[in-house]
DNA sequence: CACTCATTTGGTTGGTCGACCAACCAAATA
DNA sequence: TATTTGGTTGGTCGACCAACCAAATGAGTG
């Protein structure tokens, strides 16, 4: 993340604030800071939306967090919803990128599934707040915007559908397992983790990932105990 | 179904007077009709909260749905939040009652787990909208009210902790399975179903219940394929 | 019939928020 | 030096809503 900021800085030819040759202090220094701010606005908004919810977060608060005035925010995102939509686009992009990367990083179908589960969890729990907002604030969208985001989400889920279909074809998934239900239930189990996960808590991301993987392999009931 | 409602009512009885100026307790004055009206307000509110979200639903709309004026609503629930809290109390009561009933209806620990999974799903998917609102609108609560609801939710989850602990003790759950993680992940998988379930859709409640049960028994990966 | 108290009515009030804009400015460009 | 571009400022405006209340209603009781 800090790397990105440096890159953005370079791309903008932004003058480094070093040395004493520049006029010191006071706000409106660093004028050409486009890209950095764009990221900054979205991540600040994501954090606030996650903490307080979309409706309970005012544009004024977001602007304050970004150290700008409400009017400046309006210049960039004409409506509050446009800001949310952009946020969600970024969220889908992030999780898609993580899982896609995981998918192509192994030839073994079983290993691949494990990596993808891990990737989804990572995007959801450590990457940022955008994926969380994507999952839990879709109701704030109007019908139109919602359809766009659902389209993007469906594209992401079709990535999973692909992964699972391949495993079924190769016979590594138990016969008779409905792939669509598996996708829905599986992603559900993963997504819900975001509601209780605590980075400082008793379970690390790897603990959770490993636990889910054990269930995927063997379930939880001792053989021969089935009623 | 009506039986469960009575049980829920009983379970909720304890903290009813906590508010002091609380007007929700109408004693036995005209017992039949008052309760009916009260349910009516809560179920209408639950439906609207589920459809549009808490923040986007105005008291005027709720009043209209109940065929009364906003002032009348205010007489019953002094604040919008008080209405939501009452709703959530009822939601916890419902799901607790369903699962408790399922728990005591079988002696076989494995069969019992299956019944409880089914009960949780039923409360979540068919009983009403209150459980859905309970799960997805807790952020609308202020700190104080949230703590009360979390306390109730914890009591419900301890019911599950009991069920699972017993199974572990009896050795029907695979050794080494962390019971707390199992509860969190398991309930998560169940809860998320509420986000996509469609009563008119391809999968019935029984389909879903059965599917989850199969995974619980055996996982999804064919034996010997583990990477 | 009169009394009373729970409940409803219909409307006000104070406050917040999203959207919008005209003036402004600093750097880039020509 | 003159003009354009990209972005900020600070404030206004209309809409809406939760909370509140004084007066009216009406059902049960003595």
């Amino acid at each position: 993340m800090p790397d990105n900021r440096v890159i953005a800085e370079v791309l903008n030819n932004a003058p480094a604030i070093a040395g004493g040759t520049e006029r010191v202090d006071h706000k409106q220094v660093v004028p050409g800071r486009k890209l950095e701010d764009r990221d900054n606005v979205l991540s600040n908004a994501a954090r606030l939306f996650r903490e307080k919810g979309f409706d309970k977060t005012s544009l004024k608060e977001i602007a304050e967090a970004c150290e700008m005035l409400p009017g400046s925010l309006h210049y960039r995102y004409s409506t509050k919803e446009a800001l949310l939509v952009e946020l969600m686009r970024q969220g889908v992009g992030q999780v898609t990128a993580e899982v896609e990367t995981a998918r192509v990083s192994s030839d073994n179908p079983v290993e691949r599934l494990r990596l993808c589960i891990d990737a989804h969890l990572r995007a959801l729990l450590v990457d940022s707040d955008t994926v969380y907002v994507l999952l839990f604030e879709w109701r704030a969208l109007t019908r139109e915007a919602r359809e766009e985001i659902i389209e993007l989400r469906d594209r992401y889920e079709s990535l999973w559908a692909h992964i699972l279909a391949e495993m079924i074809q190769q016979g590594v998934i138990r016969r008779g397992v409905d792939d669509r239900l598996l996708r829905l239930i599986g992603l559900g189990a993963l997504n819900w983790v975001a509601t209780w996960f605590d980075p400082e808590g008793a379970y690390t991301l790897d603990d959770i990932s490993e636990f889910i993987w054990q269930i995927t392999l063997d379930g939880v009931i001792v053989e021969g105990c089935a009623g």
Side-chain angles (χ1 to χ4, degrees), chain A:
Chain A
M1 197 73 86
D3 296 330
N4 292 334
R5 199 153 47 182
V6 170
I7 294 169
E9 204 82 19
V10 170
L11 288 174
N12 280 327
N13 294 330
I17 317 176
T21 60
E22 301 297 314
R23 278 168 288 167
V24 275
D25 57 52
H26 262 95
K27 302 255 170 127
Q28 63 275 60
V29 269
V30 198
R33 43 178 188 170
K34 281 193 298 197
L35 279 179
E36 179 190 351
D37 270 12
R38 178 151 307 188
D39 284 352
N40 197 29
V41 169
L42 289 182
S43 65
N44 273 311
R47 182 173 44 80
L48 289 169
F49 289 163
R50 178 175 193 161
E51 280 170 14
K52 322 183 37 168
F54 178 79
D55 292 297
K56 284 196 147 62
T57 305
S58 73
L59 290 173
K60 195 173 143 238
E61 282 173 295
I62 298 173
E64 269 166 14
C66 303
E67 289 171 322
M68 55 174 71
L69 292 176
S72 308
L73 205 52
H74 180 255
Y75 173 78
R76 297 166 178 233
Y77 302 96
S78 58
T79 70
K80 197 183 177 188
E81 186 181 46
L83 172 57
L84 179 60
V85 168
E86 193 58 30
L87 200 66
M88 291 188 166
R89 283 199 200 105
Q90 190 179 293
V92 183
Q94 268 173 241
V95 67
T96 302
E98 291 257 19
V99 172
E100 180 61 33
T101 300
R103 189 178 76 87
V104 299
S105 70
S106 172
D107 286 340
N108 180 322
V110 176
E111 173 72 5
R112 179 186 295 170
L113 178 59
R114 184 172 191 177
L115 291 172
C116 288
I117 288 173
D118 206 63
H120 182 95
L121 278 177
R122 195 165 44 246
L124 182 59
L125 301 180
V126 312
D127 256 16
S128 80
D129 302 313
T130 53
V131 180
Y132 183 94
V133 172
L134 170 70
L135 286 179
F136 293 98
E137 291 292 352
W138 58 270
R139 259 187 326 187
L141 297 173
T142 59
R143 205 166 172 289
E144 215 176 21
R146 194 178 317 192
E147 275 165 12
E148 182 197 331
I149 299 301
I150 286 178
E151 165 67 25
L152 293 178
R153 187 209 58 186
D154 286 350
R155 219 177 299 174
Y156 171 66
E157 292 205 359
S158 77
L159 180 59
W160 278 95
H162 240 87
I163 294 165
L164 297 176
E166 217 171 36
M167 293 180 74
I168 285 174
Q169 196 193 342
Q170 294 172 336
V172 293
I173 284 183
R174 206 180 296 284
R175 275 191 69 78
V177 171
D178 185 306
D179 60 331
R180 201 166 141 235
L181 262 182
L182 178 57
R183 194 184 76 228
L184 289 166
I185 301 292
L187 285 178
L190 297 182
N191 288 338
W192 194 264
V193 175
T195 68
W196 56 265
F197 179 72
D198 173 11
E200 324 269 298
Y203 302 110
T204 67
L205 190 147
D206 285 339
D207 292 336
I208 298 166
S209 190
E210 170 66 20
F211 180 86
I212 288 174
W213 187 244
Q214 285 305 319
I215 292 181
T216 308
L217 288 178
D218 297 319
V220 295
I221 303 293
V222 172
E223 261 174 280
C225 285

